Amino acid sequence: MSHKGQLALQLYTLRDELERDFKGTLNRIAETGFKNVETAFWPEGISPRQAGQQLRDAGLSVCSSHCSVPTKENAAEIMEISESFQCTKMIWHGWPEDERYKTQEGIYRLADIYNEGNHIAKSNGLQFGLHNHWWEFKNKIGDRYAYEVLLEKLDPSVFFEIDTYWVRVAGHDPSEVIASFGDRAPFLHIKDGPATWTDTVATDPEPMVAVGDGSQNFPAIVKASKGSTQWMVVEMDKCATDIFEAIAKSRKYLTDNNLVQGSGA
């Protein structure tokens, strides 16, 4: 198989554990074999600088950080995140659903906002990306889905982090979507489970399972990327089993099946 992405873990997966035992949870993550993480939100009282030091103490590196869309008002905050985590890839997490995704005028306005955020990020030496949920691949404007419109309207330097699970929940084959985005989607969110649509998906999603134990076809997903994937980021919004067992099993599945670089380093 051609070039494969590196492996990381989205720390949102362990938000409850981090709340209870911040340092101990980071150490347990490292003990499972993960060496890279993607950050999201921190427990109250933990600053980015404190978190960055604790991550380094645990032997964990940051590949990317979920954050707000960069603006003139929050540029200093974004830079603090970047400096604290020694990371230049900032990703708008995209939650919750923005009503503007439902109209052409709204999507065009969002594209302008994202392009401005990208300009601010680039002027500070950072890279800006977008992460999807299900609505971007359910809401249609004419014959195109919202994310297809964004792909056209956004500056080519804006990258995408395609969440393969939410793409499938929205009713699409993740492999086809990833193939269509090509090198515009260097990040993939890797999560597994039933991946079926429910009316309560926003408030009570079905529990996810270890990667390889659900309905997703990850070999097909990796093949469809044709080597454009730089990072495979494991995430579970809600887990059906013990979370530490699930992330360890996920890592083992991806490495044993030669779907990521090396052992996740």
Side-chain angles (χ1 to χ4, degrees):
M1 189 176 290
S2 60
H3 172 76
K4 296 180 290 294
Q6 296 186 73
L7 179 62
L9 176 70
Q10 168 53 258
L11 291 181
Y12 181 73
T13 304
L14 292 148
R15 59 196 179 278
D16 294 335
E17 290 73 19
L18 287 166
E19 185 78 40
R20 289 191 293 267
D21 182 2
F22 191 79
K23 183 177 180 179
T25 296
L26 294 180
N27 287 332
R28 287 192 68 181
I29 291 169
E31 288 168 4
T32 66
F34 278 95
K35 299 179 181 179
N36 303 288
V37 298
E38 179 175 79
T39 67
F41 315 106
W42 301 109
E44 187 175 351
I46 301 291
S47 71
R49 294 194 185 282
Q50 290 172 316
Q53 187 59 58
Q54 294 278 14
L55 285 163
R56 287 187 289 277
D57 289 347
L60 298 169
S61 297
V62 177
C63 65
S64 47
S65 182
H66 278 198
C67 61
S68 302
V69 178
T71 64
K72 292 178 181 178
E73 290 72 27
N74 71 11
E77 176 187 336
I78 300 294
M79 285 304 298
E80 181 184 8
I81 291 172
S82 170
E83 292 166 2
S84 297
F85 302 143
Q86 300 173 359
C87 163
T88 60
K89 292 181 172 61
M90 302 291 116
I91 300 174
W92 163 229
H93 54 74
W95 183 270
E97 180 176 3
D98 193 310
E99 289 296 309
R100 287 173 290 190
Y101 272 113
K102 296 180 178 179
T103 67
Q104 177 175 294
E105 180 182 2
I107 292 177
Y108 285 3
R109 176 60 186 141
L110 286 173
D112 289 341
I113 291 171
Y114 297 152
N115 278 329
E116 176 62 18
N118 181 57
H119 173 74
I120 292 169
K122 288 176 67 176
S123 68
N124 285 283
L126 307 177
Q127 295 171 278
F128 177 62
L130 302 179
H131 169 270
N132 67 280
H133 292 83
W134 56 89
W135 53 82
E136 298 95 335
F137 288 96
K138 282 186 74 71
N139 296 345
K140 294 190 77 170
I141 304 302
D143 62 350
R144 294 190 299 170
Y145 291 97
Y147 245 39
E148 293 178 302
V149 177
L150 285 182
L151 184 62
E152 173 190 301
K153 292 293 181 180
L154 293 179
D155 186 287
S157 61
V158 177
F159 68 89
F160 290 84
E161 179 177 61
I162 299 295
D163 190 306
T164 60
Y165 190 84
W166 295 132
V167 164
R168 183 161 179 176
V169 167
H172 302 278
D173 181 342
S175 299
E176 294 179 1
V177 170
I178 289 162
S180 70
F181 274 69
D183 60 8
R184 289 294 300 276
F187 280 69
L188 301 181
H189 260 203
I190 303 300
K191 55 180 75 166
D192 212 347
T196 53
W197 173 260
T198 66
D199 291 335
T200 60
V201 65
T203 57
D204 189 24
E206 294 181 277
M208 296 165 188
V209 299
V211 175
D213 284 354
S215 60
Q216 292 272 59
N217 185 343
F218 292 109
I221 286 171
V222 171
K223 183 177 180 180
S225 74
K226 296 182 179 178
S228 63
T229 302
Q230 296 175 14
W231 289 95
M232 304 265 284
V233 184
V234 172
E235 181 186 41
M236 296 170 203
D237 299 58
K238 181 179 178 180
C239 188
T241 62
D242 177 83
I243 192 64
F244 288 102
E245 291 179 5
I247 65 172
K249 191 171 184 180
S250 297
R251 177 186 172 279
K252 186 175 189 302
Y253 169 82
L254 292 166
T255 56
D256 285 357
N257 286 279
N258 197 30
L259 299 177
V260 291
Q261 282 188 37
S263 60

